[in-house]
Amino acid sequence: MNEIKSIPEIYGSRVFTDSVMREKLPKKIYRELKKTIENGTELSPEVAEVVANAMKDWAIENGATHYTHWFQPMTGITAEKHDAFISPLEDGKIIMEFSGKNLIKGEPDASSFPSGGLRGTFEARGYSVWDCTSPAFLKEDASGLTLCIPTAFCSYTGEALDKKTPLLRSMEAINTQAIRVLRLLGDNDTAKITTSVGAEQEYFLVDKDIYNKRKDLIFTGRTLFGAMPPKGQQLDDHYFGALKERVAAYMKDLDMELWKLGISAKTEHNEVAPAQHELAPIYDDTNIATDHNQLVMEYMKKLAPRHGLECLLHEKPFAGVNGSGKHNNWSVSTDGGRNLLDPGKEPHKNKIFLTFLLAVIKAVDENAVLLRLAASNPGNDHRLGANEAPPAIISIFLGEQLEDILNQIELGNLTSSKSETSMTIGVSTLPSIKKDVTDRNRTSPFAFTGNKFEFRMVPSSDSIACPNYILNTIVAEALKEFADELEKADNVDEALDKLMQRTVKEHKKIIFSGNGYSDSWVEEAARRGLPNCRSMVDSVDSMIAPRTVKMFEEHKVLTETECAARAEIMYESYINKVQIEARTMIDMVAKQIKPAVIAYAKVVADTVASLSAVGADADVERELLGNITANISLLDAGFKKLKKELDKSVSIEDVKEKAVFVKDHVFTSMEELRKPADELEMLVDEEYWPFPTYGDILFYV
Ligand code: ADP
Ligand code: MG
């Protein structure tokens, strides 16, 4: 009971929250800082000095000894370099010090992070700059508590080298354009809009000792070999199933640590695949939700070993069972608390809702490949388009009610909204319940879910910054085009009706409510002219397409140079990750699989020889031996081929050409090599198999 009572006290206790600031800062300074946070006014050095001092006092009171600028480089994870607060005095003693300058600016070496050519090792300077819109917090590890100051990270030449900067820029961009549209639609009160995100995080938990025996899990985060066990996810008995004790203890621990950091971990349950789980927080402003999701992933990994577990965030740790994604729930709301994507009871009368809805539809249709890129990483290539999760084709699910409204708009006769009905379950003691106006569609990559869009393609292991700055920017662009047109009109109402009708006509092809996993959808989508990028490599060019660059520059989210750098980083990351996987396969085949299989083949061969020597029937043994040696030959051929393709890929200079080669030759050779290895696993005595199998990993916890 005590524990439950104290959760509101624990919650946010490690965060330099608004109420801590109000308590610790002089009124005037607090007001100045709030102005910067809320309205983006510039922060004066004097204010920074006072804030830094208060932050330091608060951190030290709580036991911190160090501080760090915490930033989000292009690796997809966060980075930090710890400095102690100590500062020497003349008498050999020290004081604990932290200045406004320390708070505002740090200088991490920029050359050791991916920069896409923006920084060479000889031009290393980079800056981390305090982002006061995201609260500072205390992180605990074996070294104690560290004050973490969220920052943006840029190069000496001013280019963004991180994922946070464009996200913050995109939030300003969509705000500017949304306010223009709101004014045209008669809203004169809203001063600011914000995009919110709730990121549902999927993950796997496996036993730590078993994990330690698999080089592929250690080096690549996924299994590169493994035959299917007799049981997978056929029985649907894991989804929402009762939690196993070890997992429950882990989740409790995780909740507690996240709550201390003010992260609203809310929903936890078992997912579809064995050993798969999910955590969903309550949504927040996009920049905060992004910081929080980074911390969620970090703490998921960090706390697992305490429970003898390892957390896998990879999109596809196991072939044959579901992979992991991140559902990025996204909406736009005003400072007055109105969710602009909330249709209300009679959406057909809600012009503001319809305008924003159509802006999203137009944005998604016009930037489908870019949005596909936004959800791309090498791991996600195993999910998207691989008959799982959403397909690689971007489409929007709206549901019956909104599709009906769009039809009416298209016909120029918008008069009604289908409404909720109630349903009874057929048992008199059960209450009748209100039925939602639409069903759900789990196969849609971009689904309207009542008052928000759920972008369901996002990779589980990556930062959500990129999907969200792309989403914010493409919607900002659509809103801008709407505003440009409406501002010129003599009669805004009439112009809006025309604009809505035209938008529906032009973009309805992106709307699809059927089964996104079916083959017929792939054909239908092709007929509709919707792009289908099966690999992330195919989508990277969309980042540097003239249209994209123009849009990012127009909204001051990315410059042309920054777009090019990001494209290069995507290629490089694809190449590096697949090459590491290939090298791991080569290592495992050479040092583990081959020796084990050859040793077992000898046992079988000896058996054949001794049985034959005494004139006994050795047909079964001989057949087994034949099967084994045939697969060893295939394994060897696959092994040699992969080595050759890998070597070739290393020698290619041009980054795009190299990525394409890696996809078409290295990646495909890896799949070929896996087949005989998985066959052999089923032929060899399990005592001989050199590492834990899928059955051991998936059902052990
Ligand atoms: P669903 O059942 O539709 O998945 P949930 O209520 O479980 O909806 O929410 C899933 C995620 O969406 C949660 O993280 C939740 O906080 C988030 N969410 C709910 N409303 C919004 C909103 N208006 N904007 C962004 N995210 C939201
Ligand atoms: Mg959901």
Side-chain angles (χ1 to χ4, degrees):
M1 272 294 129
N2 263 347
E3 196 175 58
I4 290 179
K5 233 170 137 191
S6 65
I7 285 172
E9 284 163 31
I10 289 170
Y11 191 83
S13 58
R14 298 244 166 104
V15 186
F16 195 63
T17 54
D18 191 58
S19 55
V20 177
M21 286 198 279
R22 207 166 357 187
E23 186 195 316
K24 302 270 177 197
L25 295 172
K27 260 207 181 90
K28 185 168 160 285
I29 301 285
Y30 172 76
R31 272 201 304 267
E32 291 283 319
L33 181 62
K34 282 298 269 190
K35 257 200 265 167
T36 304
I37 296 174
E38 278 163 14
N39 309 331
T41 52
E42 208 165 309
L43 191 81
S44 75
E46 297 76 48
V47 173
E49 198 59 45
V50 182
V51 176
N53 208 38
M55 229 186 232
K56 176 204 70 184
D57 287 347
W58 168 80
I60 291 174
E61 263 167 40
N62 280 282
T65 50
H66 289 69
Y67 70 92
T68 179
H69 274 199
W70 185 75
F71 58 101
Q72 306 181 13
M74 301 295 294
T75 51
I77 53 174
T78 56
E80 52 199 31
K81 181 185 87 179
H82 296 192
D83 279 298
F85 286 119
I86 59 167
S87 174
L89 293 176
E90 278 176 9
D91 59 2
K93 300 205 172 272
I94 51 121
I95 51 165
M96 299 297 257
E97 202 175 55
F98 183 57
S99 67
K101 240 168 71 194
N102 294 148
L103 169 64
I104 291 183
K105 194 178 91 178
E107 285 197 31
D109 179 346
S111 65
S112 304
F113 293 102
S115 74
L118 289 177
R119 296 273 78 186
T121 32
F122 61 99
E123 38 184 18
R125 208 185 272 281
Y127 296 119
S128 54
V129 186
W130 180 33
D131 164 22
C132 64
T133 61
S134 194
F137 57 92
L138 296 170
K139 218 164 74 171
E140 188 174 15
D141 59 23
S143 72
L145 284 168
T146 300
L147 170 66
C148 296
I149 298 147
T151 54
F153 180 43
C154 65
S155 74
Y156 182 65
T157 41
E159 277 109 4
L161 292 177
D162 67 349
K163 303 209 171 197
K164 190 71 177 287
T165 306
L167 180 68
L168 294 171
R169 291 175 184 162
S170 76
M171 290 172 74
E172 290 186 10
I174 192 170
N175 176 49
T176 307
Q177 303 306 332
I179 295 290
R180 281 179 72 198
V181 169
L182 286 174
R183 292 288 180 269
L184 285 159
L185 300 181
D187 174 341
N188 291 312
D189 302 324
T190 300
K192 188 179 169 193
I193 65 97
T194 347
T195 50
S196 326
V197 164
E200 302 168 55
Q201 176 75 43
E202 292 181 333
Y203 61 101
F204 280 81
L205 287 177
V206 301
D207 181 81
K208 178 83 180 153
D209 291 335
I210 291 180
Y211 167 91
N212 285 341
K213 293 187 182 121
R214 297 257 341 192
K215 293 191 196 186
D216 47 5
L217 287 179
I218 293 172
F219 293 134
T220 74
R222 75 174 178 107
T223 53
L224 300 167
F225 299 101
M228 270 312 281
K231 181 183 174 196
Q233 61 191 41
Q234 305 90 327
L235 300 181
D236 292 331
D237 54 353
H238 195 257
Y239 191 56
F240 285 13
L243 300 178
K244 291 185 182 159
E245 285 298 297
R246 187 140 64 121
V247 172
Y250 166 81
M251 286 182 175
K252 181 178 172 197
D253 198 11
L254 181 61
D255 276 347
M256 212 44 102
E257 291 302 320
L258 294 178
W259 289 342
K260 285 183 201 163
L261 291 169
I263 298 171
S264 53
K266 168 103 176 147
T267 313
E268 256 141 308
H269 60 81
N270 284 351
E271 258 299 328
V272 172
Q276 193 186 27
H277 312 278
E278 179 182 299
L279 180 148
I282 298 169
Y283 67 97
D284 213 325
D285 290 356
T286 312
N287 55 331
I288 310 250
T290 302
D291 284 3
H292 283 180
N293 183 250
Q294 294 298 127
L295 288 168
V296 165
M297 291 193 286
E298 186 180 323
Y299 274 76
M300 280 180 166
K301 289 207 90 67
K302 186 163 118 170
L303 299 185
R306 282 192 199 167
H307 302 270
L309 298 167
E310 183 68 39
C311 169
L312 307 178
L313 293 172
H314 195 282
E315 289 70 27
K316 191 73 180 175
F318 305 100
V321 296
N322 275 16
S324 296
K326 194 135 54 187
H327 293 173
N328 189 89
N329 295 275
W330 179 92
S331 72
V332 191
S333 44
T334 69
D335 49 0
R338 171 174 180 181
N339 178 350
L340 297 171
L341 291 178
D342 187 346
K345 288 242 172 305
E346 295 181 302
H348 70 285
K349 292 183 181 161
N350 189 343
K351 288 273 159 92
I352 288 184
F353 163 73
L354 291 175
T355 307
F356 279 82
L357 176 75
L358 288 170
V360 175
I361 293 172
K362 172 179 159 73
V364 172
D365 186 32
E366 287 179 347
N367 299 281
V369 181
L370 190 59
L371 210 51
R372 161 70 173 95
L373 177 79
S376 290
N377 76 354
N380 227 14
D381 270 8
H382 298 273
R383 296 171 65 229
L384 307 180
N387 243 340
E388 187 200 319
I393 306 162
I394 300 266
S395 64
I396 299 179
F397 172 80
L398 285 181
E400 238 175 277
Q401 187 194 45
L402 294 183
E403 276 194 39
D404 173 57
I405 286 182
L406 257 51
N407 279 336
Q408 295 180 42
I409 293 176
E410 190 181 3
L411 297 170
N413 183 25
L414 180 57
T415 52
S416 64
S417 302
K418 289 190 175 176
S419 56
E420 292 177 329
T421 50
S422 53
M423 64 185 269
T424 49
I425 301 178
V427 178
S428 59
T429 51
L430 293 179
S432 77
I433 53 172
K434 279 247 166 75
K435 217 167 108 156
D436 288 291
V437 280
T438 52
D439 200 352
R440 285 190 171 249
N441 186 328
R442 281 179 54 98
T443 67
S444 176
F446 203 89
F448 186 74
T449 50
N451 60 0
K452 60 187 186 288
F453 277 99
E454 187 171 11
F455 185 22
R456 305 177 70 249
M457 276 175 139
V458 176
S460 53
S461 68
D462 226 330
S463 158
I464 55 168
C466 176
N468 284 297
Y469 76 68
I470 289 187
L471 202 47
N472 289 346
T473 310
I474 62 178
V475 176
E477 171 67 15
L479 290 170
K480 174 191 166 286
E481 286 181 27
F482 285 1
D484 287 349
E485 184 169 333
L486 296 177
E487 274 169 6
K488 279 189 216 121
D490 297 328
N491 183 330
V492 173
D493 279 347
E494 277 173 21
L496 180 66
D497 286 345
K498 277 203 196 117
L499 175 115
M500 292 207 296
Q501 188 177 35
R502 200 184 66 234
T503 307
V504 173
K505 282 192 175 137
E506 281 172 9
H507 301 293
K508 66 176 181 189
K509 68 174 189 299
I510 196 83
I511 292 160
F512 175 65
S513 48
N515 178 5
Y517 296 177
S518 67
D519 291 337
S520 59
W521 168 232
V522 175
E523 289 159 26
E524 164 71 15
R527 269 197 298 279
R528 292 187 189 190
L530 299 178
N532 181 5
C533 298
R534 289 202 169 263
S535 164
M536 82 175 249
V537 174
D538 307 331
S539 64
V540 176
D541 269 349
S542 67
M543 193 72 199
I544 46 171
R547 220 188 138 266
T548 310
V549 172
K550 186 162 167 274
M551 173 174 70
F552 278 130
E553 291 211 313
E554 163 94 43
H555 296 282
K556 302 196 166 46
V557 174
L558 291 173
T559 63
E560 184 170 10
T561 321
E562 288 168 335
C563 287
R566 266 148 224 267
E568 184 159 328
I569 290 171
M570 298 225 42
Y571 283 133
E572 277 169 359
S573 118
Y574 182 84
I575 295 163
N576 288 334
K577 291 214 168 125
V578 178
Q579 283 182 337
I580 290 171
E581 290 184 346
R583 288 194 187 103
T584 305
M585 282 187 112
I586 289 170
D587 183 288
M588 289 172 82
V589 169
K591 297 192 204 155
Q592 298 187 300
I593 300 178
K594 253 196 218 170
V597 176
I598 290 172
Y600 184 63
K602 179 173 183 310
V603 173
V604 182
D606 288 349
T607 311
V608 172
S610 36
L611 286 174
S612 309
V614 297
D617 180 2
D619 287 357
V620 174
E621 292 74 8
R622 195 170 278 118
E623 188 187 333
L624 175 62
L625 186 62
N627 264 338
I628 292 175
T629 51
N631 276 295
I632 293 179
S633 301
L634 290 173
L635 186 77
D636 190 56
F639 175 79
K640 286 181 178 139
K641 180 160 178 226
L642 179 59
K643 272 178 102 169
K644 202 177 87 203
E645 301 291 18
L646 180 64
D647 284 347
K648 264 200 223 160
S649 78
V650 172
S651 66
I652 301 172
E653 284 291 324
D654 178 76
V655 73
K656 179 179 175 185
E657 200 185 312
K658 192 169 184 155
V660 172
F661 185 89
V662 165
K663 165 175 80 80
D664 291 341
H665 298 274
V666 179
F667 185 74
T668 44
S669 305
M670 284 165 54
E671 291 187 324
E672 271 173 52
L673 176 57
R674 178 175 180 148
K675 275 186 212 135
D678 291 357
E679 285 292 325
L680 284 163
E681 186 192 320
M682 298 304 287
L683 296 171
V684 168
D685 178 347
E686 62 186 2
E687 299 293 323
Y688 281 76
W689 197 247
F691 40 75
T693 63
Y694 269 29
D696 300 328
I697 310 173
L698 287 169
F699 295 97
Y700 190 90
V701 171

